[in-house]
Amino acid sequence: MINDLYNAGITQLDIRTIEANHAEVFDLIASCDVVYISKPGYMVKPHLLTLPKVKEFQEIPDHHGINELRKLVTH
């Protein structure tokens, strides 16, 4: 996903990888504007999907969320 973002020309974001089972996952998520969670991540902690800024990572539609992220960085 990160390579896809860079290949799409979205280089102005501070992109992080956060492990769902990290002890401080909620604090790490709180410091982010947008969070995409993979299926393995929400299988470990399904309640993470209930947080307002957490979105399920899907390859289709929206090419890994690239279109949505492009809107964020161009406005």
Short mmCIF file of all heavy atoms in Angstrom, two decimals:
data_model
loop_
_atom_site.label_atom_id
_atom_site.label_comp_id
_atom_site.label_asym_id
_atom_site.label_seq_id
_atom_site.Cartn_x
_atom_site.Cartn_y
_atom_site.Cartn_z
N MET A 1 0.82 -1.19 0.00
CA MET A 1 0.00 0.00 0.00
C MET A 1 0.87 1.26 0.00
O MET A 1 0.59 2.20 -0.73
CB MET A 1 -0.93 0.01 1.21
CG MET A 1 -1.76 1.27 1.29
SD MET A 1 -2.81 1.28 2.76
CE MET A 1 -3.48 2.89 2.66
N ILE A 2 1.90 1.28 0.81
CA ILE A 2 2.76 2.46 0.89
C ILE A 2 3.41 2.74 -0.47
O ILE A 2 3.45 3.87 -0.93
CB ILE A 2 3.80 2.33 2.02
CG1 ILE A 2 3.07 2.33 3.37
CG2 ILE A 2 4.84 3.43 1.96
CD1 ILE A 2 3.93 2.01 4.56
N ASN A 3 3.90 1.70 -1.13
CA ASN A 3 4.48 1.88 -2.46
C ASN A 3 3.44 2.39 -3.44
O ASN A 3 3.75 3.22 -4.30
CB ASN A 3 5.09 0.57 -2.97
CG ASN A 3 6.39 0.25 -2.28
OD1 ASN A 3 7.07 1.14 -1.78
ND2 ASN A 3 6.75 -1.01 -2.24
N ASP A 4 2.22 1.91 -3.34
CA ASP A 4 1.15 2.37 -4.22
C ASP A 4 0.89 3.86 -4.03
O ASP A 4 0.64 4.59 -4.99
CB ASP A 4 -0.15 1.59 -3.97
CG ASP A 4 -0.07 0.16 -4.45
OD1 ASP A 4 0.81 -0.15 -5.28
OD2 ASP A 4 -0.88 -0.65 -3.99
N LEU A 5 0.94 4.32 -2.80
CA LEU A 5 0.74 5.75 -2.52
C LEU A 5 1.86 6.58 -3.15
O LEU A 5 1.60 7.59 -3.81
CB LEU A 5 0.68 6.01 -1.02
CG LEU A 5 -0.55 5.47 -0.30
CD1 LEU A 5 -0.38 5.59 1.20
CD2 LEU A 5 -1.79 6.18 -0.77
N TYR A 6 3.08 6.15 -2.96
CA TYR A 6 4.20 6.89 -3.53
C TYR A 6 4.15 6.87 -5.06
O TYR A 6 4.41 7.87 -5.71
CB TYR A 6 5.53 6.35 -3.03
CG TYR A 6 5.81 6.70 -1.58
CD1 TYR A 6 6.24 5.75 -0.68
CD2 TYR A 6 5.64 8.00 -1.12
CE1 TYR A 6 6.49 6.08 0.64
CE2 TYR A 6 5.89 8.34 0.21
CZ TYR A 6 6.32 7.37 1.07
OH TYR A 6 6.56 7.70 2.38
N ASN A 7 3.80 5.72 -5.62
CA ASN A 7 3.69 5.61 -7.08
C ASN A 7 2.58 6.49 -7.63
O ASN A 7 2.64 6.92 -8.77
CB ASN A 7 3.46 4.15 -7.50
CG ASN A 7 4.68 3.29 -7.28
OD1 ASN A 7 5.79 3.79 -7.22
ND2 ASN A 7 4.47 2.00 -7.15
N ALA A 8 1.56 6.76 -6.81
CA ALA A 8 0.46 7.63 -7.23
C ALA A 8 0.80 9.10 -7.03
O ALA A 8 -0.01 9.97 -7.30
CB ALA A 8 -0.81 7.28 -6.46
N GLY A 9 2.03 9.39 -6.57
CA GLY A 9 2.45 10.77 -6.39
C GLY A 9 2.07 11.37 -5.06
O GLY A 9 2.19 12.57 -4.85
N ILE A 10 1.62 10.55 -4.13
CA ILE A 10 1.25 11.05 -2.80
C ILE A 10 2.46 10.85 -1.90
O ILE A 10 2.63 9.81 -1.29
CB ILE A 10 0.00 10.33 -2.27
CG1 ILE A 10 -1.16 10.53 -3.23
CG2 ILE A 10 -0.35 10.83 -0.87
CD1 ILE A 10 -2.40 9.74 -2.88
N THR A 11 3.29 11.87 -1.84
CA THR A 11 4.54 11.76 -1.08
C THR A 11 4.56 12.70 0.12
O THR A 11 5.49 12.66 0.91
CB THR A 11 5.74 12.08 -1.98
OG1 THR A 11 5.57 13.39 -2.53
CG2 THR A 11 5.86 11.07 -3.11
N GLN A 12 3.54 13.56 0.25
CA GLN A 12 3.56 14.56 1.31
C GLN A 12 2.92 14.07 2.61
O GLN A 12 2.76 14.84 3.53
CB GLN A 12 2.90 15.86 0.83
CG GLN A 12 1.47 15.73 0.37
CD GLN A 12 1.33 15.41 -1.11
OE1 GLN A 12 1.85 14.42 -1.57
NE2 GLN A 12 0.61 16.23 -1.84
N LEU A 13 2.60 12.80 2.70
CA LEU A 13 2.00 12.25 3.92
C LEU A 13 3.07 11.64 4.81
O LEU A 13 4.07 11.10 4.33
CB LEU A 13 0.98 11.16 3.57
CG LEU A 13 -0.23 11.57 2.76
CD1 LEU A 13 -1.09 10.35 2.47
CD2 LEU A 13 -1.04 12.63 3.47
N ASP A 14 2.84 11.69 6.09
CA ASP A 14 3.66 10.97 7.06
C ASP A 14 2.98 9.62 7.25
O ASP A 14 1.99 9.52 7.97
CB ASP A 14 3.73 11.75 8.37
CG ASP A 14 4.53 11.04 9.44
OD1 ASP A 14 5.29 10.10 9.11
OD2 ASP A 14 4.40 11.42 10.61
N ILE A 15 3.49 8.61 6.58
CA ILE A 15 2.85 7.30 6.59
C ILE A 15 3.52 6.42 7.63
O ILE A 15 4.75 6.33 7.70
CB ILE A 15 2.94 6.65 5.19
CG1 ILE A 15 2.21 7.54 4.18
CG2 ILE A 15 2.34 5.25 5.21
CD1 ILE A 15 2.39 7.11 2.75
N ARG A 16 2.70 5.76 8.42
CA ARG A 16 3.20 4.87 9.49
C ARG A 16 2.54 3.51 9.37
O ARG A 16 1.42 3.39 8.92
CB ARG A 16 2.84 5.43 10.85
CG ARG A 16 3.33 6.79 11.10
CD ARG A 16 2.81 7.32 12.39
NE ARG A 16 2.96 8.77 12.39
CZ ARG A 16 2.51 9.54 13.33
NH1 ARG A 16 1.88 9.03 14.34
NH2 ARG A 16 2.70 10.83 13.26
N THR A 17 3.25 2.52 9.84
CA THR A 17 2.69 1.18 9.98
C THR A 17 2.53 0.92 11.47
O THR A 17 3.49 1.08 12.24
CB THR A 17 3.62 0.13 9.35
OG1 THR A 17 3.81 0.45 7.99
CG2 THR A 17 3.01 -1.26 9.46
N ILE A 18 1.32 0.57 11.87
CA ILE A 18 1.03 0.32 13.28
C ILE A 18 0.52 -1.11 13.42
O ILE A 18 -0.39 -1.51 12.70
CB ILE A 18 -0.06 1.30 13.80
CG1 ILE A 18 0.40 2.75 13.64
CG2 ILE A 18 -0.42 0.99 15.25
CD1 ILE A 18 -0.72 3.76 13.89
N GLU A 19 1.08 -1.84 14.33
CA GLU A 19 0.63 -3.20 14.60
C GLU A 19 -0.62 -3.15 15.47
O GLU A 19 -0.66 -2.43 16.47
CB GLU A 19 1.71 -4.00 15.32
CG GLU A 19 2.95 -4.25 14.49
CD GLU A 19 2.72 -5.21 13.35
OE1 GLU A 19 1.86 -6.11 13.49
OE2 GLU A 19 3.39 -5.05 12.32
N ALA A 20 -1.66 -3.90 15.10
CA ALA A 20 -2.92 -3.89 15.84
C ALA A 20 -2.74 -4.36 17.28
O ALA A 20 -3.47 -3.92 18.17
CB ALA A 20 -3.96 -4.75 15.14
N ASN A 21 -1.78 -5.23 17.52
CA ASN A 21 -1.59 -5.73 18.88
C ASN A 21 -0.53 -4.95 19.66
O ASN A 21 -0.13 -5.36 20.74
CB ASN A 21 -1.26 -7.22 18.86
CG ASN A 21 -0.01 -7.54 18.06
OD1 ASN A 21 0.61 -6.66 17.50
ND2 ASN A 21 0.33 -8.81 17.99
N HIS A 22 -0.10 -3.81 19.14
CA HIS A 22 0.86 -2.96 19.85
C HIS A 22 0.21 -2.45 21.14
O HIS A 22 -0.97 -2.11 21.17
CB HIS A 22 1.26 -1.79 18.96
CG HIS A 22 2.40 -0.99 19.49
ND1 HIS A 22 2.26 -0.08 20.51
CD2 HIS A 22 3.70 -0.95 19.13
CE1 HIS A 22 3.43 0.48 20.76
NE2 HIS A 22 4.32 -0.03 19.93
N ALA A 23 0.98 -2.39 22.19
CA ALA A 23 0.45 -1.98 23.50
C ALA A 23 -0.17 -0.59 23.48
O ALA A 23 -1.11 -0.30 24.21
CB ALA A 23 1.55 -2.06 24.57
N GLU A 24 0.34 0.30 22.64
CA GLU A 24 -0.14 1.68 22.59
C GLU A 24 -0.90 1.97 21.30
O GLU A 24 -0.89 3.10 20.80
CB GLU A 24 1.05 2.63 22.73
CG GLU A 24 1.77 2.46 24.06
CD GLU A 24 3.07 3.25 24.13
OE1 GLU A 24 3.37 3.99 23.18
OE2 GLU A 24 3.76 3.12 25.13
N VAL A 25 -1.59 0.97 20.77
CA VAL A 25 -2.26 1.13 19.46
C VAL A 25 -3.26 2.28 19.46
O VAL A 25 -3.35 3.03 18.49
CB VAL A 25 -2.92 -0.20 19.01
CG1 VAL A 25 -4.10 -0.58 19.88
CG2 VAL A 25 -3.35 -0.10 17.55
N PHE A 26 -3.98 2.48 20.54
CA PHE A 26 -4.98 3.56 20.58
C PHE A 26 -4.32 4.93 20.57
O PHE A 26 -4.79 5.85 19.90
CB PHE A 26 -5.91 3.40 21.79
CG PHE A 26 -6.76 2.16 21.69
CD1 PHE A 26 -6.45 1.05 22.45
CD2 PHE A 26 -7.84 2.10 20.84
CE1 PHE A 26 -7.22 -0.10 22.36
CE2 PHE A 26 -8.62 0.96 20.73
CZ PHE A 26 -8.31 -0.15 21.50
N ASP A 27 -3.21 5.08 21.29
CA ASP A 27 -2.47 6.34 21.27
C ASP A 27 -1.87 6.60 19.89
O ASP A 27 -1.88 7.73 19.41
CB ASP A 27 -1.35 6.33 22.32
CG ASP A 27 -1.89 6.32 23.73
OD1 ASP A 27 -3.01 6.82 23.95
OD2 ASP A 27 -1.18 5.81 24.62
N LEU A 28 -1.37 5.56 19.25
CA LEU A 28 -0.79 5.71 17.92
C LEU A 28 -1.87 6.10 16.91
O LEU A 28 -1.66 6.97 16.07
CB LEU A 28 -0.10 4.41 17.49
CG LEU A 28 1.14 4.04 18.31
CD1 LEU A 28 1.59 2.62 18.00
CD2 LEU A 28 2.26 5.03 18.03
N ILE A 29 -3.04 5.48 17.00
CA ILE A 29 -4.14 5.82 16.11
C ILE A 29 -4.60 7.25 16.36
O ILE A 29 -4.89 8.00 15.43
CB ILE A 29 -5.31 4.83 16.27
CG1 ILE A 29 -4.92 3.48 15.65
CG2 ILE A 29 -6.60 5.36 15.66
CD1 ILE A 29 -5.93 2.36 15.88
N ALA A 30 -4.63 7.66 17.62
CA ALA A 30 -5.07 9.01 17.96
C ALA A 30 -4.18 10.07 17.33
O ALA A 30 -4.63 11.18 17.03
CB ALA A 30 -5.11 9.19 19.48
N SER A 31 -2.92 9.75 17.08
CA SER A 31 -1.99 10.72 16.50
C SER A 31 -2.07 10.78 14.98
O SER A 31 -1.36 11.56 14.36
CB SER A 31 -0.56 10.40 16.95
OG SER A 31 -0.12 9.20 16.34
N CYS A 32 -2.95 9.99 14.39
CA CYS A 32 -3.08 9.94 12.93
C CYS A 32 -4.37 10.62 12.48
O CYS A 32 -5.34 10.69 13.22
CB CYS A 32 -3.11 8.49 12.44
SG CYS A 32 -1.62 7.56 12.80
N ASP A 33 -4.37 11.13 11.25
CA ASP A 33 -5.57 11.73 10.69
C ASP A 33 -6.47 10.68 10.05
O ASP A 33 -7.69 10.76 10.14
CB ASP A 33 -5.20 12.78 9.63
CG ASP A 33 -4.50 13.97 10.26
OD1 ASP A 33 -4.90 14.38 11.37
OD2 ASP A 33 -3.56 14.48 9.64
N VAL A 34 -5.87 9.72 9.37
CA VAL A 34 -6.62 8.65 8.69
C VAL A 34 -5.91 7.34 8.98
O VAL A 34 -4.68 7.28 8.95
CB VAL A 34 -6.66 8.87 7.16
CG1 VAL A 34 -7.40 7.74 6.48
CG2 VAL A 34 -7.30 10.20 6.82
N VAL A 35 -6.68 6.30 9.26
CA VAL A 35 -6.11 4.99 9.55
C VAL A 35 -6.82 3.95 8.70
O VAL A 35 -8.05 3.88 8.69
CB VAL A 35 -6.27 4.63 11.05
CG1 VAL A 35 -5.75 3.23 11.32
CG2 VAL A 35 -5.58 5.65 11.93
N TYR A 36 -6.03 3.17 7.97
CA TYR A 36 -6.57 2.02 7.25
C TYR A 36 -6.10 0.78 7.97
O TYR A 36 -4.92 0.65 8.31
CB TYR A 36 -6.08 2.00 5.80
CG TYR A 36 -6.82 2.98 4.94
CD1 TYR A 36 -6.36 4.27 4.77
CD2 TYR A 36 -8.00 2.61 4.31
CE1 TYR A 36 -7.06 5.17 4.00
CE2 TYR A 36 -8.71 3.50 3.54
CZ TYR A 36 -8.23 4.78 3.38
OH TYR A 36 -8.92 5.67 2.62
N ILE A 37 -7.02 -0.13 8.23
CA ILE A 37 -6.67 -1.36 8.95
C ILE A 37 -6.90 -2.56 8.03
O ILE A 37 -7.91 -2.64 7.33
CB ILE A 37 -7.49 -1.49 10.26
CG1 ILE A 37 -6.99 -2.65 11.11
CG2 ILE A 37 -8.97 -1.59 9.98
CD1 ILE A 37 -7.53 -2.66 12.53
N SER A 38 -5.95 -3.46 8.04
CA SER A 38 -6.05 -4.66 7.22
C SER A 38 -6.92 -5.71 7.89
O SER A 38 -7.20 -5.63 9.09
CB SER A 38 -4.65 -5.24 6.98
OG SER A 38 -4.12 -5.70 8.21
N LYS A 39 -7.33 -6.69 7.12
CA LYS A 39 -8.15 -7.76 7.68
C LYS A 39 -7.44 -8.47 8.84
O LYS A 39 -8.05 -8.68 9.88
CB LYS A 39 -8.56 -8.76 6.60
CG LYS A 39 -9.51 -9.80 7.11
CD LYS A 39 -10.05 -10.68 6.00
CE LYS A 39 -11.07 -11.66 6.55
NZ LYS A 39 -11.65 -12.49 5.50
N PRO A 40 -6.14 -8.82 8.70
CA PRO A 40 -5.48 -9.42 9.87
C PRO A 40 -5.51 -8.52 11.09
O PRO A 40 -5.64 -8.99 12.21
CB PRO A 40 -4.05 -9.67 9.38
CG PRO A 40 -4.16 -9.77 7.91
CD PRO A 40 -5.26 -8.82 7.52
N GLY A 41 -5.41 -7.21 10.87
CA GLY A 41 -5.43 -6.27 11.99
C GLY A 41 -6.76 -6.26 12.70
O GLY A 41 -6.83 -6.32 13.93
N TYR A 42 -7.85 -6.19 11.95
CA TYR A 42 -9.14 -6.15 12.64
C TYR A 42 -9.61 -7.52 13.08
O TYR A 42 -10.51 -7.64 13.90
CB TYR A 42 -10.21 -5.38 11.85
CG TYR A 42 -10.68 -5.94 10.54
CD1 TYR A 42 -11.52 -7.04 10.48
CD2 TYR A 42 -10.33 -5.33 9.35
CE1 TYR A 42 -11.97 -7.53 9.28
CE2 TYR A 42 -10.80 -5.79 8.15
CZ TYR A 42 -11.61 -6.91 8.11
OH TYR A 42 -12.07 -7.38 6.91
N MET A 43 -8.97 -8.57 12.60
CA MET A 43 -9.27 -9.89 13.16
C MET A 43 -8.64 -10.01 14.55
O MET A 43 -9.20 -10.65 15.43
CB MET A 43 -8.73 -11.01 12.25
CG MET A 43 -9.43 -11.08 10.90
SD MET A 43 -11.20 -11.36 11.00
CE MET A 43 -11.25 -13.09 11.35
N VAL A 44 -7.51 -9.36 14.76
CA VAL A 44 -6.85 -9.35 16.07
C VAL A 44 -7.64 -8.48 17.04
O VAL A 44 -7.88 -8.86 18.18
CB VAL A 44 -5.39 -8.83 15.94
CG1 VAL A 44 -4.78 -8.58 17.31
CG2 VAL A 44 -4.55 -9.79 15.15
N LYS A 45 -8.04 -7.29 16.57
CA LYS A 45 -8.79 -6.35 17.42
C LYS A 45 -9.96 -5.78 16.63
O LYS A 45 -9.89 -4.67 16.11
CB LYS A 45 -7.88 -5.22 17.90
CG LYS A 45 -6.85 -5.68 18.91
CD LYS A 45 -6.28 -4.52 19.66
CE LYS A 45 -5.38 -5.08 20.76
NZ LYS A 45 -4.60 -4.05 21.39
N PRO A 46 -11.06 -6.52 16.54
CA PRO A 46 -12.18 -6.08 15.72
C PRO A 46 -12.78 -4.74 16.15
O PRO A 46 -13.30 -3.99 15.33
CB PRO A 46 -13.21 -7.19 15.85
CG PRO A 46 -12.72 -8.13 16.86
CD PRO A 46 -11.29 -7.81 17.16
N HIS A 47 -12.67 -4.38 17.42
CA HIS A 47 -13.24 -3.13 17.90
C HIS A 47 -12.50 -1.90 17.36
O HIS A 47 -13.02 -0.79 17.43
CB HIS A 47 -13.30 -3.10 19.43
CG HIS A 47 -11.98 -3.32 20.10
ND1 HIS A 47 -11.41 -4.57 20.19
CD2 HIS A 47 -11.12 -2.46 20.68
CE1 HIS A 47 -10.25 -4.46 20.82
NE2 HIS A 47 -10.05 -3.19 21.11
N LEU A 48 -11.32 -2.09 16.76
CA LEU A 48 -10.63 -0.95 16.15
C LEU A 48 -11.45 -0.36 15.00
O LEU A 48 -11.40 0.83 14.73
CB LEU A 48 -9.24 -1.35 15.65
CG LEU A 48 -8.21 -1.69 16.72
CD1 LEU A 48 -6.91 -2.16 16.08
CD2 LEU A 48 -7.95 -0.48 17.61
N LEU A 49 -12.23 -1.21 14.34
CA LEU A 49 -13.07 -0.73 13.23
C LEU A 49 -14.18 0.20 13.70
O LEU A 49 -14.78 0.90 12.89
CB LEU A 49 -13.69 -1.91 12.47
CG LEU A 49 -12.86 -2.47 11.33
CD1 LEU A 49 -13.53 -3.70 10.73
CD2 LEU A 49 -12.59 -1.45 10.26
N THR A 50 -14.47 0.21 14.98
CA THR A 50 -15.53 1.09 15.48
C THR A 50 -15.03 2.52 15.73
O THR A 50 -15.84 3.41 15.96
CB THR A 50 -16.13 0.52 16.80
OG1 THR A 50 -15.14 0.53 17.82
CG2 THR A 50 -16.67 -0.88 16.60
N LEU A 51 -13.72 2.72 15.68
CA LEU A 51 -13.18 4.06 15.87
C LEU A 51 -13.48 4.91 14.64
O LEU A 51 -13.35 4.43 13.51
CB LEU A 51 -11.67 4.00 16.12
CG LEU A 51 -11.23 3.21 17.36
CD1 LEU A 51 -9.72 3.11 17.41
CD2 LEU A 51 -11.77 3.87 18.62
N PRO A 52 -13.87 6.16 14.81
CA PRO A 52 -14.31 6.99 13.69
C PRO A 52 -13.30 7.15 12.57
O PRO A 52 -13.66 7.17 11.41
CB PRO A 52 -14.61 8.34 14.33
CG PRO A 52 -14.73 8.09 15.78
CD PRO A 52 -13.97 6.84 16.09
N LYS A 53 -12.02 7.25 12.88
CA LYS A 53 -11.05 7.50 11.82
C LYS A 53 -10.47 6.23 11.21
O LYS A 53 -9.69 6.29 10.27
CB LYS A 53 -9.93 8.42 12.29
CG LYS A 53 -9.16 7.96 13.49
CD LYS A 53 -7.95 8.84 13.75
CE LYS A 53 -8.28 10.03 14.59
NZ LYS A 53 -7.10 10.75 15.06
N VAL A 54 -10.89 5.07 11.69
CA VAL A 54 -10.36 3.80 11.17
C VAL A 54 -11.26 3.28 10.06
O VAL A 54 -12.46 3.15 10.23
CB VAL A 54 -10.23 2.75 12.30
CG1 VAL A 54 -9.78 1.41 11.74
CG2 VAL A 54 -9.25 3.24 13.37
N LYS A 55 -10.64 3.01 8.91
CA LYS A 55 -11.36 2.49 7.77
C LYS A 55 -10.77 1.14 7.39
O LYS A 55 -9.57 0.92 7.54
CB LYS A 55 -11.23 3.44 6.57
CG LYS A 55 -11.69 4.85 6.86
CD LYS A 55 -11.32 5.76 5.71
CE LYS A 55 -11.55 7.20 6.01
NZ LYS A 55 -12.84 7.60 6.40
N GLU A 56 -11.61 0.27 6.89
CA GLU A 56 -11.14 -1.05 6.47
C GLU A 56 -10.33 -0.90 5.19
O GLU A 56 -10.75 -0.27 4.23
CB GLU A 56 -12.31 -1.98 6.23
CG GLU A 56 -11.90 -3.37 5.81
CD GLU A 56 -13.09 -4.26 5.54
OE1 GLU A 56 -14.22 -3.88 5.86
OE2 GLU A 56 -12.88 -5.35 4.99
N PHE A 57 -9.15 -1.49 5.18
CA PHE A 57 -8.30 -1.49 4.00
C PHE A 57 -8.88 -2.46 2.99
O PHE A 57 -9.09 -3.62 3.28
CB PHE A 57 -6.88 -1.92 4.39
CG PHE A 57 -5.97 -2.18 3.24
CD1 PHE A 57 -5.36 -1.13 2.58
CD2 PHE A 57 -5.71 -3.46 2.82
CE1 PHE A 57 -4.51 -1.37 1.52
CE2 PHE A 57 -4.86 -3.71 1.77
CZ PHE A 57 -4.26 -2.67 1.12
N GLN A 58 -9.19 -1.96 1.81
CA GLN A 58 -9.73 -2.80 0.74
C GLN A 58 -8.99 -2.49 -0.54
O GLN A 58 -8.74 -1.33 -0.85
CB GLN A 58 -11.22 -2.53 0.53
CG GLN A 58 -12.07 -2.86 1.72
CD GLN A 58 -13.54 -2.53 1.46
OE1 GLN A 58 -13.89 -1.97 0.44
NE2 GLN A 58 -14.38 -2.88 2.40
N GLU A 59 -8.65 -3.52 -1.28
CA GLU A 59 -7.97 -3.28 -2.54
C GLU A 59 -8.93 -2.68 -3.56
O GLU A 59 -8.54 -1.89 -4.39
CB GLU A 59 -7.37 -4.58 -3.06
CG GLU A 59 -6.21 -5.03 -2.19
CD GLU A 59 -5.43 -6.15 -2.81
OE1 GLU A 59 -5.44 -6.27 -4.05
OE2 GLU A 59 -4.82 -6.91 -2.06
N ILE A 60 -10.19 -3.06 -3.48
CA ILE A 60 -11.21 -2.53 -4.39
C ILE A 60 -12.43 -2.21 -3.55
O ILE A 60 -12.83 -3.02 -2.73
CB ILE A 60 -11.58 -3.57 -5.47
CG1 ILE A 60 -10.34 -3.91 -6.29
CG2 ILE A 60 -12.70 -3.08 -6.35
CD1 ILE A 60 -10.54 -5.04 -7.24
N PRO A 61 -13.08 -1.11 -3.65
CA PRO A 61 -12.78 -0.03 -4.58
C PRO A 61 -11.74 0.92 -4.03
O PRO A 61 -11.29 0.77 -2.90
CB PRO A 61 -14.12 0.68 -4.70
CG PRO A 61 -14.75 0.49 -3.36
CD PRO A 61 -14.28 -0.86 -2.88
N ASP A 62 -11.37 1.89 -4.80
CA ASP A 62 -10.54 3.02 -4.40
C ASP A 62 -9.06 2.71 -4.31
O ASP A 62 -8.32 3.42 -3.67
CB ASP A 62 -11.06 3.64 -3.08
CG ASP A 62 -10.49 5.02 -2.83
OD1 ASP A 62 -10.01 5.64 -3.78
OD2 ASP A 62 -10.52 5.47 -1.69
N HIS A 63 -8.61 1.68 -4.95
CA HIS A 63 -7.18 1.42 -5.06
C HIS A 63 -6.43 1.69 -3.76
O HIS A 63 -5.63 2.62 -3.66
CB HIS A 63 -6.58 2.24 -6.19
CG HIS A 63 -7.28 2.05 -7.49
ND1 HIS A 63 -7.14 0.91 -8.24
CD2 HIS A 63 -8.15 2.84 -8.15
CE1 HIS A 63 -7.89 1.01 -9.32
NE2 HIS A 63 -8.52 2.17 -9.29
N HIS A 64 -6.73 0.95 -2.73
CA HIS A 64 -6.07 1.07 -1.42
C HIS A 64 -6.34 2.40 -0.72
O HIS A 64 -5.55 2.85 0.09
CB HIS A 64 -4.55 0.89 -1.54
CG HIS A 64 -4.11 -0.35 -2.21
ND1 HIS A 64 -4.35 -1.59 -1.69
CD2 HIS A 64 -3.45 -0.54 -3.36
CE1 HIS A 64 -3.84 -2.50 -2.50
NE2 HIS A 64 -3.30 -1.89 -3.52
N GLY A 65 -7.43 3.06 -1.08
CA GLY A 65 -7.72 4.35 -0.46
C GLY A 65 -6.98 5.51 -1.09
O GLY A 65 -7.02 6.63 -0.58
N ILE A 66 -6.29 5.27 -2.20
CA ILE A 66 -5.48 6.31 -2.82
C ILE A 66 -6.32 7.50 -3.23
O ILE A 66 -5.94 8.65 -3.00
CB ILE A 66 -4.68 5.75 -4.01
CG1 ILE A 66 -3.59 4.82 -3.48
CG2 ILE A 66 -4.08 6.87 -4.85
CD1 ILE A 66 -2.87 4.03 -4.55
N ASN A 67 -7.48 7.26 -3.83
CA ASN A 67 -8.31 8.39 -4.27
C ASN A 67 -8.75 9.24 -3.09
O ASN A 67 -8.75 10.47 -3.16
CB ASN A 67 -9.53 7.88 -5.05
CG ASN A 67 -9.13 7.26 -6.37
OD1 ASN A 67 -8.13 7.62 -6.96
ND2 ASN A 67 -9.92 6.31 -6.83
N GLU A 68 -9.12 8.60 -2.01
CA GLU A 68 -9.53 9.35 -0.82
C GLU A 68 -8.37 10.15 -0.24
O GLU A 68 -8.51 11.32 0.12
CB GLU A 68 -10.09 8.41 0.23
CG GLU A 68 -10.61 9.12 1.45
CD GLU A 68 -11.30 8.19 2.43
OE1 GLU A 68 -11.70 7.09 2.05
OE2 GLU A 68 -11.43 8.60 3.58
N LEU A 69 -7.20 9.54 -0.17
CA LEU A 69 -6.03 10.24 0.37
C LEU A 69 -5.61 11.38 -0.55
O LEU A 69 -5.19 12.43 -0.08
CB LEU A 69 -4.88 9.25 0.58
CG LEU A 69 -5.12 8.26 1.71
CD1 LEU A 69 -4.04 7.19 1.70
CD2 LEU A 69 -5.14 8.96 3.06
N ARG A 70 -5.74 11.19 -1.86
CA ARG A 70 -5.40 12.25 -2.80
C ARG A 70 -6.30 13.48 -2.55
O ARG A 70 -5.83 14.61 -2.58
CB ARG A 70 -5.53 11.76 -4.23
CG ARG A 70 -5.05 12.78 -5.24
CD ARG A 70 -5.15 12.29 -6.66
NE ARG A 70 -4.05 11.38 -6.94
CZ ARG A 70 -4.18 10.15 -7.43
NH1 ARG A 70 -5.38 9.67 -7.71
NH2 ARG A 70 -3.15 9.40 -7.66
N LYS A 71 -7.58 13.24 -2.26
CA LYS A 71 -8.48 14.34 -1.95
C LYS A 71 -8.02 15.09 -0.71
O LYS A 71 -8.09 16.31 -0.65
CB LYS A 71 -9.90 13.83 -1.73
CG LYS A 71 -10.59 13.34 -2.97
CD LYS A 71 -11.96 12.79 -2.62
CE LYS A 71 -12.52 11.94 -3.72
NZ LYS A 71 -13.76 11.25 -3.33
N LEU A 72 -7.55 14.37 0.29
CA LEU A 72 -7.10 15.00 1.54
C LEU A 72 -5.89 15.91 1.31
O LEU A 72 -5.82 16.99 1.89
CB LEU A 72 -6.73 13.94 2.58
CG LEU A 72 -7.86 13.16 3.22
CD1 LEU A 72 -7.30 12.04 4.07
CD2 LEU A 72 -8.74 14.07 4.04
N VAL A 73 -4.98 15.48 0.48
CA VAL A 73 -3.74 16.25 0.33
C VAL A 73 -3.83 17.33 -0.74
O VAL A 73 -2.94 18.17 -0.83
CB VAL A 73 -2.52 15.34 0.06
CG1 VAL A 73 -2.29 14.40 1.21
CG2 VAL A 73 -2.67 14.58 -1.25
N THR A 74 -4.90 17.35 -1.53
CA THR A 74 -5.01 18.37 -2.57
C THR A 74 -5.99 19.47 -2.21
O THR A 74 -6.22 20.38 -2.97
CB THR A 74 -5.43 17.75 -3.92
OG1 THR A 74 -6.66 17.05 -3.76
CG2 THR A 74 -4.36 16.82 -4.45
N HIS A 75 -6.60 19.38 -1.03
CA HIS A 75 -7.55 20.43 -0.62
C HIS A 75 -6.96 21.29 0.46
O HIS A 75 -6.13 21.00 1.18
CB HIS A 75 -8.87 19.82 -0.12
CG HIS A 75 -9.65 19.26 -1.25
ND1 HIS A 75 -9.68 17.93 -1.55
CD2 HIS A 75 -10.44 19.87 -2.17
CE1 HIS A 75 -10.46 17.74 -2.59
NE2 HIS A 75 -10.93 18.89 -3.00
#
